[in-house]
Structure formats: C-alpha cells, structure tokens
Amino acid sequence: MIITVVVWSGLTFSTALSLLWYHAKQTRTERALSLTWLRRPNRFLHLLLLLGICQNAVIYKVHKNARDDNKFSIVMDLPKEPDNSSLLSGKTRSSDVIVYLAQFSNVHSSYGAQSDALSQSITGLSKLQKSLDLLYKNYLDQFPSCNVIIFYDSSSPPDLRTQVELRRSRSQLEFRELNGTWWEVPYGLDEKRHHKWKRPKYSIGYRHMMRWFAVLIWPYLAAEGYTHVMRMDDDSYIHSKIGYNLFEYMRDHNKKYAFRQPVRDSAVGKGYDRVIDDYLFEHPNATTRDLIHSYKNVSRRVGFYNNWFIANIAFFTNEPASSLLRAIDESNLIYTQRTGDLVIHSTVVRLFLRPDDIQWFRDFTYEHMTLCRVDTCGSSTRTNFKGCPENGGVSRGFGVYSDEEWTAFATKIKEQFDPRCEVEIDWNFIGADDSVRDCEVKKHAACWDYLKTIPSATNGTVKA
C-alpha cells in the first residue's frame, strides 16, 4: 500500500509541475497561464519544495493509518538492530549470553524499600553484587566464554563508579539501558489509566519488565547474533559449583528450554485462557493434540519459576511460538491484568515443546527468595513477618551434599531469619511455604503429573 501511494503521488505531482512549467513558458498570451512568476528559477524551486513536503505528509498519514488498522505488532515490526550505543568496541562476540535486568536504586519500583528480618537494608546493588560473585565463583570462572549483559532502565541507572566496580576482572560484562521500543507502553494503551489495571501496586516499570522477558528479549538478542540466553535476577544465587558448560549441554542434547525450579501460578489474569484457546482454535496445526491435552488437562497453572532459565532464542522467534507471543502481546494483558512472564513462558513451552526438549537442571543449589515486605503476610493458617520468606527458596543440588551436609547448609540459611519466621527444612528445599515448595517436594499432584514426564526430573544429577 505504501509503495502504491508513493508511486501515484509522485506521478501526480510530477505531472502537475510539468503542466505548470509548460504553460508558464508559452509566449502567446491566449495560451499562457498568468504564472509568469514561475519563470524565475528560485520561485519554481520553492514550489517544488512545498509540493515535496505535502507529498511526504500524505505518505506519512497513510502509513500511520495502515499501521493503526493492522494493530501494529511490536514482535513483527521491531527495528532490525537494537541500540548498540553502549556496546564495547572490539569485544569478542559469543553466541551465548547471561542477562540481568537490575535496579540500582535503594527502593524497588514495586516492592519499595526492602530489609531483612534484622531490619538491615537490602539494596538492588547489594543483591546484584552477591549474585555476580556467586555466578563467577561457581560457574563463569570455569566457563568464561559467554557474554554478560546487565540491562537497566533510565529510572535507576548505575553510576560510573558502580559500573567500574562491577566490571573489575569481568571483561565479558557490559551495561545497557533499555529505552524506546524496548521499554514503553504498547501502542494504544494509556498508562494514565494504570490505577485501573489489575494489581496497580505493580508499577509500569514492573510491567515493562514482564513484557521484556516474555516478548521483547527474543528479537533483541537474535538481532545481536545470540543463539542461547540464560536469565539471572539480581537475587538469583548459585550456591554450588557447576562442573560443565550449561550452554554446550543444551546444544549437545538438543534442549530448547531449561529451568531450575518448578511452580504453580494461578495469577494469569482475566481473559488469558481465552486468548490461548482462541489461538489454538485459529491455528489447529500449531502443535500436537497430546501437548494440548497435557496443557489443558494436567493443570494449566504448572510451569517454570523463570527467574532462572536457559533458552534457545530461535524457538521463541520462529513459528509457532512467535505468533502466540504476538497474540498475547496484542491482548495487552501483561499491562491490564498483570499477566506475568512466568505464565507466558510456561504456556509457550508446554504447548510447543515435547518433554524431551526441556531440561530440569537439578544438580546445583539455587536460591531465589522474595521476602515479606509488610508487617505481616501469609495465609490465614500461616503468618510471617517483615523480612521472612514469602515466595521461593533454596533448592538442593543433587550430588552436591550428603544429607548431613544439606541439613547443615539449610540450617545456616534458616538462621538468617527471625526465629518467628516459619521456615521449614525439607529433604531438598528450604524457603517459603508456597507453590515452589509444593512442586519441589512433591506435595502437589498436578505438578508431578507433568514434571515426571520430563526425563531429567527423574535422573537426579546431570552428566555432561
């Protein structure tokens, strides 16, 4: 449509100019138009410039209307290259990348000021420093071939001193700001209505984060030439050595997605199931009946606690995953219903990947724990206090400890919290009494009805 408008408008203006010039040059009075001022070259150029501006305005208006009519999709119409302004010149490019999305302020955009059970302040920088220290000690010092990118948004950028400190002895680490296309409300949504969206205490920035990890990260990293990505949160902690290259393991065993902790999450948002069912109806050949049956009948809510994952990027940028992500993105539920990236990852992976394509890494000890932020929190039967574990916990790495060693390690974790905190030590988990624990220790049947189909879930340790 745009090409047609350009051609016809160009022909129209060119023809008009030719006729005007022809008539202006006539010498016979009865055949000439009263446009003698056109005979002056400068006047003719001015008219040409004016008509060109009008032509471009028409083209822009038609393009904008066409884009609006087609419900402009950020997945399809992303820039071919992301902003590389912060890229380090001359840096060796790996096909693998570990990504963080960090906040460097003392107050979290959604969780507010955070503190532990001893009322000691927990800042974004302190968490990130601990996470990086453990990541390098237990993995990257042995396998340094991948890149590390710490993303941030303009609301809490790291100062130069922080960047220098975190990059010391970490040559593959870089910082990048997310802005523009990558960090904005989708077209057609009014962020001034945020107070009417579900769970408004979660900020616009938090919803940008969910959209980033659910939808936008894939085309961004694909445009950079990456094939595999590992996500780490600033409060993701790897507590034990990993003795093999995780990315190579994924490639060698043809795995498309990997996770560390399973979970059940029912907070999908009103209308989400309808979006998924409509997609499956409109794309009957997108996946197999067995995978649809497993997704719909073995609890839709079972999935992956995706604060840590490894993924094959091409799986998400190609069909059918890309078209389902587009449908979810265009529904705007990420913003209006707070439909999380955890839910979206779990849906896409469960619908389009066979269990053999998925890896449950269980041979390293991993922690991701959210602490209670108010005076009291929890269910009517279990109450915790500010600084106590509210979600998540520490998953035991199989083959890492003897039972006695695990008990000693878990006890040290428990001793970090107020004695009033209800923190139980299970044979393979310590943390909050939530759905992560239920799935890890086999308390919830629906979790294990699905998880037992993943080969690595029954293997215990993983051998490279």
Side-chain angles (χ1 to χ4, degrees), residues 69-137:
D69 293 341
N70 291 329
K71 291 184 177 180
F72 172 64
S73 169
I74 196 157
V75 175
M76 294 300 294
D77 296 339
L78 287 169
K80 291 183 178 180
E81 294 290 343
D83 179 12
N84 291 331
S85 59
S86 63
L87 211 60
L88 299 177
S89 60
K91 181 172 180 174
T92 302
R93 172 63 66 200
S94 169
S95 63
D96 307 321
V97 63
I98 298 174
V99 300
Y100 285 86
L101 178 53
Q103 289 195 34
F104 292 91
S105 62
N106 293 334
V107 179
H108 193 278
S109 66
S110 292
Y111 298 146
Q114 296 177 283
S115 60
D116 59 21
L118 301 177
S119 298
Q120 295 177 332
S121 177
I122 301 174
T123 66
L125 179 57
S126 66
K127 292 187 296 183
L128 178 62
Q129 181 70 68
K130 178 180 177 181
S131 179
L132 285 169
D133 287 346
L134 289 170
L135 173 66
Y136 275 80
K137 173 186 175 182

Side-chain angles (χ1 to χ4, degrees), residues 402-423:
S402 66
D403 290 342
E404 293 77 13
E405 289 170 338
W406 164 249
T407 300
F409 174 84
T411 300
K412 287 183 179 180
I413 296 290
K414 184 173 182 176
E415 289 173 348
Q416 298 174 9
F417 303 106
D418 189 300
R420 297 177 300 168
C421 297
E422 299 186 24
V423 183

Side-chain angles (χ1 to χ4, degrees), residues 165-193:
E165 180 65 27
L166 292 179
R167 289 198 66 249
R168 184 173 287 118
S169 301
R170 297 165 179 163
S171 61
Q172 72 270 60
L173 189 151
E174 61 182 273
F175 294 84
R176 296 208 200 165
E177 180 180 349
L178 289 175
N179 51 35
T181 302
W182 311 102
W183 201 257
E184 63 183 4
V185 173
Y187 181 81
L189 264 186
D190 183 3
E191 65 180 81
K192 295 179 181 178
R193 297 178 61 83

